[in-house]
Each structure stands twice: as structure tokens, then as C-alpha cells.
Amino acid sequence: MSTTTLPAAPEPLPAEVFDSHCHLDIMVGNRQASSGDSVAQAAQAARASIEGILDDARAVGVTRLVTIGYDLPSSRWNAETAALHADVYAGVAIHPNEAHASTPETLAEIEELARLPHVRAVGETGLDYYRDWASKDDQHASFRAHIEIAKRTGKALVIHDRDAHDDVLRVLAEEGAPDVVVFHSFSGDAEMAKKCAEAGYFMSFSGPVTYKNAGYLREAARIAPLELILVETDAPYLPPVPHRGKPNAPYLIPLTLRCVAEVKETDLAGLAAAVSANGETVFGAW
Ligand SMILES: [Zn+2]
């Protein structure tokens, strides 16, 4: 990814919206691991870069975002960063690809972080059958532990589901789902969207909904009830069309939102208002 080829800013939105899932630490390069800085020092050092990311986003109507942890250092960093920026909330978790790191000690600290006031989600957690970086046994144990943490802390559960729809739904049903469940970067078809809608799970649509070969995602977006829809970038990954192959950032949310509005045949401002209201249901008041 080259910073010399940053995508141009899209046309601003007619109403404010937020990015339900991005990775600020990966976007700015969390230097804590290599520098030996404390978490607080590392978050402080990134402050200016994050203000830049927020300014670019605000300029097109994306006024808030949720930055998501994937391991313990990332979760600590994101929690610390959310404390420093009023428009930023954090999610904390051990990613399914890192599930072997979900020891009792690690999970205890994730739970401690999840109780912080500006941490509003337990995630991303879930199941990833596309990669075999962690065994299925480790992934299932870690996912179940995160479901329990979400229930104990009353925070939203943010799910990473890659090629694992049936097992994710089954584990949620077996454990008893927390009050608020979000399928991040929703990757199911209309059938899966129907199942999620019936269970009251939120579906967060990302760049791939704009991809030419992803008609099944647009079908899912079309039938997903307005009151269960979120949008996200998953930045720096998954940039929407026409910026595939370039670094993603929250200011590109309008491209994804416009695509969802077209598919649902709703007006953009109305969809933005619905997504913002859903954001408060999921993550609480800002
Ligand atoms: Zn992510």
C-alpha cells in the first residue's frame, strides 16, 4: 500500500454517519511493539495522525468511528486511543486468527478493558474457516469466552465470520447471544441475512458490497431491515470500488453507503439517519 496513491475524497454525505469498524492502530502503524513505549505513550504519539484521519472523515460527513482490536496489545492501544478522542469508541478482543493467544490471563484483561466507558464492543471475535492460523478448537473456545464477556459487560458483540456462517449462528444459539450482536463486514447471502434479521443481529456492510462480483452481498443488503444495518470500512482493508488495491480509510464510507442506498432504493439522508440511530442502539450514545 502506497500513501502516494491515496483515493480522492468522495462527494460529502447529506447527513452524518459513522464507521462501525476500522483499525486505527494498523492505519497509523502502532509503534508501541517496536519502540518499547507504554500504551499511553504510543496512543499519544499517534494523536496527530488520528486527528488527520478524523478530519478527512468529517469533511465528507463521517463524524465518528469505532476502532477495533484484534489481539491484546491492539486492544490496549485502541482502548487508550478511544479515551483520547471524543468521536472514537473502541472494541477489544482476541481475533479468531489469534485464538491460540486466548489464555485465561489474556481474556481477563480483555474483560477489564471491555468495562472501560469508551470501550463499547467486544470484538472482533468469531470464527474464521478461511485461514487455519488457529485451530477450530481454539477458535470455538475463544469465541465462546468472548460471548460470555460481552454478556457480563453489557457491550456489543462484534463478530468476524469468514466461511463459518452456520457454526457462528449455532454457537451463538448454544451460548445464548448477548443483547447486541453485529456481523462485521457482513459476508453472507440473502438467506444468511434473513437468519440474522430473524435473530435481531445487526449486519455491517463494508467495501465488498460495491464489488462487481458480489451480487449476493447486494441481495443481502436489499433484504436486511433498515433498523439492523450498519456500514463500515474495516480500514485499512477492503476499500470500496473504485479504489480496490488502495489503502482504505473512514472517509471512504460514503461510497459504501451510496451503494447500499441504491440497492435498497432509499434516499441517502434517510439511510444515513437510520445507520446513525442503529449506531446508538449498538454502541450507546456518543
Ligand atoms: Zn476488522
Side-chain angles (χ1 to χ4, degrees):
M1 290 196 297
S2 163
T3 49
T4 56
T5 55
L6 283 182
E11 197 184 316
L13 293 169
E16 287 182 9
V17 80
F18 77 107
D19 183 350
S20 87
H21 188 119
C22 68
H23 300 278
L24 285 180
D25 57 333
I26 302 174
M27 292 179 68
V28 303
N30 180 0
R31 69 193 197 99
Q32 191 212 342
S34 53
S35 68
D37 284 358
S38 72
V39 181
Q41 283 170 321
Q44 195 68 42
R47 222 181 152 136
S49 327
I50 290 163
E51 279 307 328
I53 291 168
L54 290 169
D55 283 346
D56 290 349
R58 286 184 195 115
V60 295
V62 181
T63 53
R64 297 174 169 116
L65 58 83
V66 185
T67 182
I68 299 285
Y70 54 89
D71 64 8
L72 192 51
S74 161
S75 294
R76 287 178 186 140
W77 188 99
N78 282 303
E80 189 74 26
T81 291
L84 292 176
H85 302 269
D87 296 332
V88 176
Y89 281 155
V92 295
I94 309 299
H95 193 284
N97 293 338
E98 310 288 328
H100 42 271
S102 282
T103 62
E105 296 75 28
T106 308
L107 290 166
E109 190 175 339
I110 290 291
E111 178 157 356
E112 215 173 289
L113 291 169
R115 292 186 190 284
L116 293 170
H118 39 272
V119 173
R120 298 298 176 95
V122 173
E124 52 187 288
T125 178
L127 300 173
D128 188 329
Y129 292 173
Y130 179 76
R131 297 193 197 282
D132 58 1
W133 298 356
S135 72
K136 280 191 181 177
D137 282 353
D138 282 350
Q139 291 192 43
H140 278 249
S142 180
F143 183 30
R144 287 178 192 271
H146 282 88
I147 292 171
E148 296 310 315
I149 292 172
K151 287 201 275 194
R152 282 196 295 269
T153 58
K155 303 291 166 88
L157 184 73
V158 171
I159 291 180
H160 170 103
D161 159 25
R162 193 151 184 204
D163 296 350
H165 306 321
D166 291 347
D167 276 8
V168 166
L169 291 173
R170 181 174 58 78
V171 170
L172 281 171
E174 283 174 9
E175 289 288 325
D179 287 346
V180 180
V181 173
V182 178
F183 279 74
H184 124 71
S185 196
F186 185 81
S187 60
D189 58 9
E191 201 50 47
M192 177 65 180
K194 230 175 269 172
K195 288 179 189 166
C196 286
E198 273 163 25
Y201 301 153
F202 287 83
M203 291 162 259
S204 186
F205 290 91
S206 57
V209 76
T210 68
Y211 297 175
K212 201 174 178 176
N213 62 356
Y216 68 100
L217 287 178
R218 288 184 286 279
E219 274 307 298
R222 196 176 58 75
I223 72 138
L226 209 52
E227 63 273 14
L228 292 176
I229 288 184
L230 298 173
V231 288
E232 65 172 74
T233 54
D234 202 17
Y237 311 114
L238 305 177
V241 166
H243 301 303
R244 292 187 76 172
K246 293 185 181 166
N248 199 1
Y251 75 93
L252 295 177
I253 277 281
L255 297 168
T256 300
L257 193 78
R258 270 174 216 281
C259 172
V260 174
E262 268 168 40
V263 165
K264 296 193 79 62
E265 299 177 30
T266 65
D267 74 295
L268 198 56
L271 180 62
V275 165
S276 295
N278 295 343
E280 303 236 330
T281 306
V282 170
F283 301 110
W286 292 80

